[in-house]
Every structure is written in structure tokens, then in C-alpha cells.
Amino acid sequence: MVRVSGLASGMDIDQIVSDLMKAERMPIDKMKKQKQTLEWQRDDYRSMNLLLSDFNNLAFNMTLQSSYSSKTVSSADETKVKATATSSAGNASYTLSNVTMATAAQNISSEKISEGTIDPAKSLWEQKNLLGSAWSGKEVKQPDITISDDTKAAKLSKGAIFEGSLPSSIQVKNGESSQEFNIKTTGDPTLIGENDVFINMNTGEMTFGTTLTNGSTVQGFTYKQNVLQFSITTYDSSGKATGDNADGSMSFEFDGSASLNTVLTQLSNSKVGISAFYDEGTDKVVFTRKDTGDLSKAGGAGGQKMVFSGAFLTNFLKLDTQKETGGTDATFTLNGLETTRKSNMFTTGGVTYTLQNNFTGDVRVNVSNDTQKVFDTIKDFVTKYNELIEKINGKITEERDRNYQPLTDQEREKLTDKQAEQWDDKAKSGLLKGDTILSSGLNQMRSNWYASVSGVSGAFSQLTDIGISTSANYSDRGKLVIEGDGTKLKEAIEKDPQSVMDLFMKSGSTTSEKGIVRRLRDTITQTVSKVEQRAGRSTWTSEQFLLGHNLKSVNSQITSFESRLTQIEDRYYRQFTAMEKAIQNANAQSAQLSQYFS
């Protein structure tokens, strides 16, 4: 629609229509405020559900036996024995004596491996003369090499080439043409002929006597590479060989580019279970089993723990299987019982012992309830509960300030960001005041805490028995307090930890038979479900919860009313346009008449 401004009348038509529309927009502004209020209320409900769900997760931990059965362990001499205990360990004293620690099998080079001439960081092929017959030939199928630039250089995929394994010549193709190059491996590569190619036996680098053009292809061929191949056999605690081969050994292969340090590092990182290193001071290598104990072949106790095969290990590294040392089980006496273990760390009766030294005397280990840890766990749970009900009570008792309604876009533009934020805070207040779902949930949780637990076998059947009661301050609205300095609760934990645990986490078919925490979790689950029916979840659609239905209805009304406002605004402009045209016509007629009297 073409809108005419007040040129004829001299009136500001846009401002007049805008003022008229303010009155017309009052109902839709009210709807938008209602929509904002519903959204704030929905978000408040969901924030309460988040608090309840977080507390429910904490309550789950309180249904675990470990929360009430923590143990503390003391060793008379931790330089000899250290110990820890699980919640299943019994309260008792244990005596260890006549301890001989487990040792790990070890094998050291029987003599110097190179008279100190080997560089452990350099490639082994560069020092091939030191390794003698340790090398093996492995076939390499060299694929075609495509030349990308005009060059005389190319490189084979592998170096450390086995003597005598190269063909006498190779072919280079360029389109339909082909050229044969004779292979040279000795002499000066800069003095070769045009039809020759020099191949570096160490690196596999090729130098051609003629420049190869871009797109040329060096035809593939087969040759052998020098590699180190060997195998090691180790055994687990059951005497089973740990390797992947049929005989239980584990095979290793390294090409000539590997250094001694690389070989030993990869051995140490493999599942063969050996830690290996080279000592330059003695010019020897050391192989040590990572696990202690007599880890030898099943049925062969006392036999070899590491079996070596391959000239690299036996001839060059000079590892002699027969000169292995160590690899013995730990032996000790525990409360008069002579026994052995593969490891210096072992668990029995829920107590884990770590042997630190050999000794012949006695070391006593005492296991008892960790009263302080259980006390801290219960205290923390009570504190979190008090924080929960304080926040929920704060919401359901918060006064609604009806002088502050949600701001419209026009109202918000007139305020600073800080003023708008302060206004929103007041407008959001009290949206959950007196909410029956939350208040009912809090009442039920208070009942969960104070009602007796029936069917307990111990001395404690209700909260006051262990020194936890309700705050005498009415304004605390049901907060719990641990009496005094917690002495009564600590005494209860020390005296009958099982009864304290039953009081909190006992299972039962009825509410009265359930422990306090299980009741609380049932109540929280029910409350969360009811809140979700009203406010939903962030992943739910509007049709799945009550406030969603209300928001959808308001949105529909807003859309319908906005369409109506557009029609009203168009009508106003049509009316003023007609008025402008009439005034313009009248002015024209008046001007024409005045000409007759002039």
C-alpha cells in the first residue's frame, strides 16, 4: 500500500497512526508479558528439578556400602610393609614375618658387545661390521617410481641392501620409449656413464647418468634388504607363553635404519613384558622382566623366564639364557601361615599389602573402621540436603512483586542494560510462591528423615538415635543439625557401623522398611516427575507438558492478534490517505475559484 504523508493537511500522519496503534497494541503487549512470565516460570521449575536431580545423584552414592564401611589401616613399620583395605575387610590385626620379596628375572650381556665402539643412537646398518652374522635377507618388492620433475635422483623404498640381491640393470620408461640403465654399487657416483645408475647400498638412493624427464617411470624390481630378525619367549603367572606365535614366542623385525636405542625402546614398549636398555659405561645391555616372580613355563618352576632366539640377541647382544638371574616369588608368613606370591603387592581378606623390604621380624598391620571418613560423608550429605531445601524454600516463599511486570520491547529500549536487568530480577520474583508440588515434596522429604526405619537389626532406627535432629530455629524450615560437635554420630559409627548403614540405605518393600536415603530418592523421583509434567524438559515438545500447552496457546493468540493489528494499521492509513486526498482536492478547487476573482 502507498502511504501519503500529511502534505495537504500539514499533520504528522505517521505519528498519529503510531499513537493510535499504542492503544490497539495494549492487548498484545499483555499477551507477550504473559508469555514471558510463563517462560520464566518454566525455567524456574526446571532449575528446581536440576537441583533435585543433582541431589538424587549424591543420594545414590549414599546407597553404596562403601560410604559407610571405609577402613583405615596402620602398619607398625611402613618401611617394610604398607597396606590398604577395602570396605569388605574385617576389623582385625595381621602379622607379617620372615619376608623375602619377589624379584624380577634379569639377563645381562655376558661380556662387552662392541668394546665401546657402537653408537646406540646411529643406525645399526651404518655399524654393520659390528653385528657380524646377525643380519638376515628379506625380499623387497620395489614398486614403480614415477618421476615428478626433471632429475637424476630417485630412491628405493628400502636401504640396507643385501649384497648381490640387485639385478644387473633397470628399465626407465617415458611414454613409448624405454632406456636400460646398468646398476653400479661401487666407485664414484659422479663418474658413471650415461647408461649407468649408481645405487647407494646403505640408503637406497639412486643417481642416474642421464637426467630423467618429468613423467618418466622407473620400473619396479625385486631385491633383498638386510634386517634383524629374532624372537623372545616370556611367560605369565600361570606359566603360559605370552607371544603370538604358535610356540608362544614373540617375533621382532627391524631394518637397518633402526638404532640400538630404537630396538631396545620398542622391545620395552611391546607386550613381551621386558624392560631393556644399553649401558655405555659397561658396553652391555640389560633385559629385566617387568613383572616379579617365578614366571617360567608351566610345569617348569625354576626354569628360564626369558628365552632368546636369533643371532642379534645371542651373538651380538651376548644374552645367554643360562646366565639369567632372579625371577623368584615372594615368601612370607601371614598370621602363622607360610605362603608365596608372584608380586610384592598382593590382596587377601580385602587387605592389600605392599612389601617394601626383606625382613625376619614381625610387622603388625591393624585394620579398623575409618570413623572420621564415614562421619564426613554423612555430614556432607546433610549439608547438601540443607542447601537443597534452603534454595527450594527460598523459591516457594519468595514474594511476588506485581508492580513489576515483564518489559515490552519499547519499554526496554528506554532503560539502560543495568536498569533492565534489575527490573527483570524483580519481575521474575515469586513465580513459584506457594507451589504445591515443591512444597509437598519438601514435606515428604522431612517425613522421610524423621520416620523410624522398621526391621533394622541394630540399635539405631531413627535419625535422633545417631545425633541428627531438626533445627530449633523455625526460619530454617526443616534444616538438619548434627548435635554438638558430632560426638554422638561418631560414637554411633564406631559402635555399630552396620546399624548406621541400615538406617540410611536399608532396602525394603514398603516405605517404612526402607532406609532414609532410599525414601528420599523415591520422593525426589516422584517430585521430579510431577515438575516435568508441569514444566517439561529442554528436549520435550510443547505438547508434552502443561506450561508448554499454555505457551503454545499464547503464541497462537499473539500471531492472530498481530495479523489483526496489521489490518487495523492499514485501515487507519487508508482513512488518512482519503482525508489527504479530499483536502488536496478542496485546496485545488479553492485555488481555481480565487483565479476568477483576481
Side-chain angles (χ1 to χ4, degrees), residues 54-104:
D54 287 345
F55 183 75
N56 202 24
N57 293 334
L58 178 64
F60 172 76
N61 295 333
M62 295 297 291
T63 64
L64 304 177
Q65 181 178 347
S66 57
S67 296
Y68 309 92
S69 305
S70 296
K71 300 292 181 177
T72 182
V73 182
S74 62
S75 170
D77 189 346
E78 289 198 346
T79 64
K80 296 178 179 177
V81 180
K82 291 183 179 180
T84 59
T86 64
S87 58
S88 63
N91 294 339
S93 292
Y94 302 91
T95 302
L96 274 84
S97 56
N98 301 322
V99 171
T100 300
M101 295 180 65
T103 60

Side-chain angles (χ1 to χ4, degrees), residues 27 46 93 104 136 166 217 222 243 299 329 336 414 465-466 470 481 512:
R46 290 180 180 178
S93 292
S136 301
L166 290 172
T217 301
T222 300
D329 293 342
K414 297 176 182 179
D465 293 340
I466 61 173
T470 312
V481 293
S512 63

Side-chain angles (χ1 to χ4, degrees), residues 375 379 466-469 481-490:
F375 172 82
K379 181 181 178 182
I466 61 173
I468 302 177
S469 59
V481 293
I482 297 177
E483 298 175 9
D485 58 357
T487 301
K488 187 174 181 179
L489 175 56
K490 290 179 181 178

Side-chain angles (χ1 to χ4, degrees), residues 263-281:
V263 172
L264 298 181
T265 297
Q266 292 190 26
L267 285 179
S268 298
N269 292 336
S270 73
K271 71 174 187 177
V272 76
I274 289 176
S275 176
F277 69 92
Y278 169 71
D279 176 57
E280 296 183 57

